[in-house]
Short mmCIF file of all heavy atoms in Angstrom, two decimals:
data_model
loop_
_atom_site.label_atom_id
_atom_site.label_comp_id
_atom_site.label_asym_id
_atom_site.label_seq_id
_atom_site.Cartn_x
_atom_site.Cartn_y
_atom_site.Cartn_z
N THR S 291 100.75 102.02 66.73
CA THR S 291 99.96 102.49 67.86
C THR S 291 100.33 101.71 69.11
O THR S 291 100.71 100.54 69.04
CB THR S 291 98.45 102.36 67.60
OG1 THR S 291 98.11 100.98 67.40
CG2 THR S 291 98.03 103.15 66.36
N LEU S 292 100.20 102.37 70.25
CA LEU S 292 100.40 101.73 71.54
C LEU S 292 99.08 101.81 72.29
O LEU S 292 98.48 102.88 72.40
CB LEU S 292 101.50 102.42 72.34
CG LEU S 292 102.89 102.15 71.78
CD1 LEU S 292 103.31 103.26 70.84
CD2 LEU S 292 103.88 102.00 72.90
N GLU S 293 98.63 100.68 72.79
CA GLU S 293 97.36 100.59 73.50
C GLU S 293 97.58 99.93 74.86
O GLU S 293 98.54 99.17 75.03
CB GLU S 293 96.34 99.76 72.70
CG GLU S 293 95.99 100.33 71.33
CD GLU S 293 94.99 101.47 71.38
OE1 GLU S 293 94.58 101.90 72.48
OE2 GLU S 293 94.61 101.94 70.29
N GLY S 294 96.68 100.19 75.76
CA GLY S 294 96.74 99.57 77.07
C GLY S 294 96.03 100.44 78.09
O GLY S 294 95.67 101.59 77.81
N GLY S 295 95.86 99.90 79.26
CA GLY S 295 95.17 100.62 80.32
C GLY S 295 95.98 101.79 80.85
O GLY S 295 97.13 102.01 80.45
N GLU S 296 95.37 102.52 81.76
CA GLU S 296 96.05 103.66 82.38
C GLU S 296 97.27 103.18 83.15
O GLU S 296 97.21 102.17 83.84
CB GLU S 296 95.09 104.39 83.33
CG GLU S 296 93.84 104.95 82.66
CD GLU S 296 94.15 105.93 81.54
OE1 GLU S 296 95.07 106.76 81.69
OE2 GLU S 296 93.48 105.85 80.50
N GLY S 297 98.37 103.90 83.01
CA GLY S 297 99.56 103.61 83.79
C GLY S 297 100.37 102.41 83.33
O GLY S 297 101.23 101.93 84.08
N THR S 298 100.14 101.93 82.11
CA THR S 298 100.87 100.75 81.63
C THR S 298 102.18 101.10 80.95
O THR S 298 102.93 100.21 80.57
CB THR S 298 100.01 99.90 80.67
OG1 THR S 298 99.60 100.73 79.57
CG2 THR S 298 98.78 99.33 81.37
N GLY S 299 102.45 102.39 80.76
CA GLY S 299 103.71 102.80 80.15
C GLY S 299 103.63 103.14 78.68
O GLY S 299 104.67 103.19 78.00
N LYS S 300 102.44 103.40 78.16
CA LYS S 300 102.30 103.72 76.73
C LYS S 300 103.14 104.93 76.34
O LYS S 300 103.89 104.88 75.36
CB LYS S 300 100.83 103.96 76.37
CG LYS S 300 99.95 102.75 76.48
CD LYS S 300 98.51 103.08 76.18
CE LYS S 300 97.93 104.16 77.09
NZ LYS S 300 97.94 103.86 78.53
N SER S 301 103.02 106.01 77.09
CA SER S 301 103.76 107.24 76.77
C SER S 301 105.26 107.02 76.86
O SER S 301 106.02 107.49 76.01
CB SER S 301 103.33 108.38 77.69
OG SER S 301 101.96 108.65 77.52
N THR S 302 105.69 106.32 77.88
CA THR S 302 107.12 106.03 78.04
C THR S 302 107.64 105.20 76.87
O THR S 302 108.69 105.51 76.29
CB THR S 302 107.37 105.28 79.37
OG1 THR S 302 106.93 106.12 80.44
CG2 THR S 302 108.82 104.91 79.54
N HIS S 303 106.91 104.16 76.52
CA HIS S 303 107.35 103.30 75.41
C HIS S 303 107.27 104.03 74.07
O HIS S 303 108.09 103.78 73.18
CB HIS S 303 106.55 102.00 75.39
CG HIS S 303 107.02 101.04 76.43
ND1 HIS S 303 106.56 101.07 77.72
CD2 HIS S 303 107.93 100.04 76.38
CE1 HIS S 303 107.16 100.13 78.42
NE2 HIS S 303 108.00 99.49 77.63
N ALA S 304 106.29 104.91 73.89
CA ALA S 304 106.21 105.70 72.67
C ALA S 304 107.46 106.57 72.54
O ALA S 304 108.05 106.67 71.45
CB ALA S 304 104.95 106.56 72.65
N LYS S 305 107.87 107.17 73.63
CA LYS S 305 109.08 108.01 73.63
C LYS S 305 110.32 107.17 73.31
O LYS S 305 111.15 107.56 72.48
CB LYS S 305 109.23 108.70 74.98
CG LYS S 305 110.44 109.58 75.08
CD LYS S 305 110.55 110.22 76.45
CE LYS S 305 111.84 111.03 76.53
NZ LYS S 305 112.10 111.53 77.87
N LEU S 306 110.45 106.02 73.95
CA LEU S 306 111.60 105.15 73.71
C LEU S 306 111.64 104.64 72.26
O LEU S 306 112.71 104.60 71.63
CB LEU S 306 111.59 103.97 74.68
CG LEU S 306 111.82 104.31 76.15
CD1 LEU S 306 111.54 103.09 77.04
CD2 LEU S 306 113.23 104.83 76.37
N LEU S 307 110.48 104.25 71.74
CA LEU S 307 110.41 103.78 70.36
C LEU S 307 110.75 104.90 69.39
O LEU S 307 111.49 104.69 68.41
CB LEU S 307 109.02 103.22 70.08
CG LEU S 307 108.77 102.67 68.67
CD1 LEU S 307 109.78 101.58 68.32
CD2 LEU S 307 107.33 102.14 68.58
N THR S 308 110.24 106.09 69.65
CA THR S 308 110.54 107.25 68.82
C THR S 308 112.04 107.50 68.79
O THR S 308 112.64 107.69 67.71
CB THR S 308 109.80 108.50 69.33
OG1 THR S 308 108.39 108.28 69.19
CG2 THR S 308 110.20 109.75 68.56
N GLU S 309 112.68 107.49 69.95
CA GLU S 309 114.12 107.72 70.02
C GLU S 309 114.90 106.65 69.25
O GLU S 309 115.84 106.96 68.51
CB GLU S 309 114.58 107.76 71.48
CG GLU S 309 114.10 108.98 72.23
CD GLU S 309 114.34 108.91 73.73
OE1 GLU S 309 114.90 107.90 74.23
OE2 GLU S 309 113.94 109.87 74.42
N ALA S 310 114.50 105.39 69.40
CA ALA S 310 115.20 104.29 68.70
C ALA S 310 115.05 104.42 67.20
O ALA S 310 116.03 104.23 66.45
CB ALA S 310 114.66 102.94 69.18
N LEU S 311 113.85 104.76 66.73
CA LEU S 311 113.63 104.91 65.29
C LEU S 311 114.40 106.10 64.74
O LEU S 311 114.95 106.04 63.64
CB LEU S 311 112.14 105.02 64.99
CG LEU S 311 111.35 103.72 65.16
CD1 LEU S 311 109.85 104.00 65.13
CD2 LEU S 311 111.73 102.71 64.08
N ARG S 312 114.44 107.20 65.49
CA ARG S 312 115.21 108.36 65.04
C ARG S 312 116.69 108.04 65.00
O ARG S 312 117.39 108.45 64.07
CB ARG S 312 114.93 109.55 65.96
CG ARG S 312 113.58 110.18 65.70
CD ARG S 312 113.32 111.39 66.55
NE ARG S 312 112.01 111.96 66.20
CZ ARG S 312 111.24 112.61 67.04
NH1 ARG S 312 111.63 112.84 68.29
NH2 ARG S 312 110.07 113.07 66.64
N ASP S 313 117.17 107.30 65.99
CA ASP S 313 118.58 106.88 65.99
C ASP S 313 118.90 106.02 64.77
O ASP S 313 120.04 105.99 64.31
CB ASP S 313 118.91 106.10 67.27
CG ASP S 313 118.99 106.98 68.51
OD1 ASP S 313 119.02 108.23 68.37
OD2 ASP S 313 119.00 106.42 69.63
N ASP S 314 117.87 105.33 64.26
CA ASP S 314 118.03 104.48 63.08
C ASP S 314 117.85 105.27 61.78
O ASP S 314 117.85 104.68 60.70
CB ASP S 314 117.04 103.31 63.17
CG ASP S 314 117.45 102.12 62.34
OD1 ASP S 314 118.66 101.87 62.20
OD2 ASP S 314 116.54 101.43 61.83
N GLY S 315 117.64 106.59 61.89
CA GLY S 315 117.56 107.43 60.71
C GLY S 315 116.17 107.75 60.20
O GLY S 315 116.04 108.37 59.14
N HIS S 316 115.13 107.35 60.92
CA HIS S 316 113.76 107.62 60.47
C HIS S 316 113.27 108.97 60.98
O HIS S 316 113.65 109.40 62.07
CB HIS S 316 112.81 106.53 60.97
CG HIS S 316 113.13 105.18 60.45
ND1 HIS S 316 112.83 104.78 59.16
CD2 HIS S 316 113.76 104.12 61.02
CE1 HIS S 316 113.24 103.54 58.97
NE2 HIS S 316 113.82 103.11 60.09
N VAL S 317 112.41 109.59 60.20
CA VAL S 317 111.68 110.77 60.66
C VAL S 317 110.44 110.25 61.36
O VAL S 317 109.69 109.45 60.77
CB VAL S 317 111.31 111.70 59.50
CG1 VAL S 317 110.46 112.86 59.99
CG2 VAL S 317 112.56 112.20 58.78
N VAL S 318 110.22 110.67 62.60
CA VAL S 318 109.14 110.12 63.41
C VAL S 318 108.26 111.24 63.94
O VAL S 318 108.77 112.23 64.48
CB VAL S 318 109.68 109.28 64.59
CG1 VAL S 318 108.53 108.68 65.39
CG2 VAL S 318 110.63 108.20 64.10
#
């Protein structure tokens, strides 16, 4: 999970983490 206040980048980091995990072969 990603937590934090409004505008801290949660959605952006979720997208980046998803991409990195998929690149590593995980289903996300």
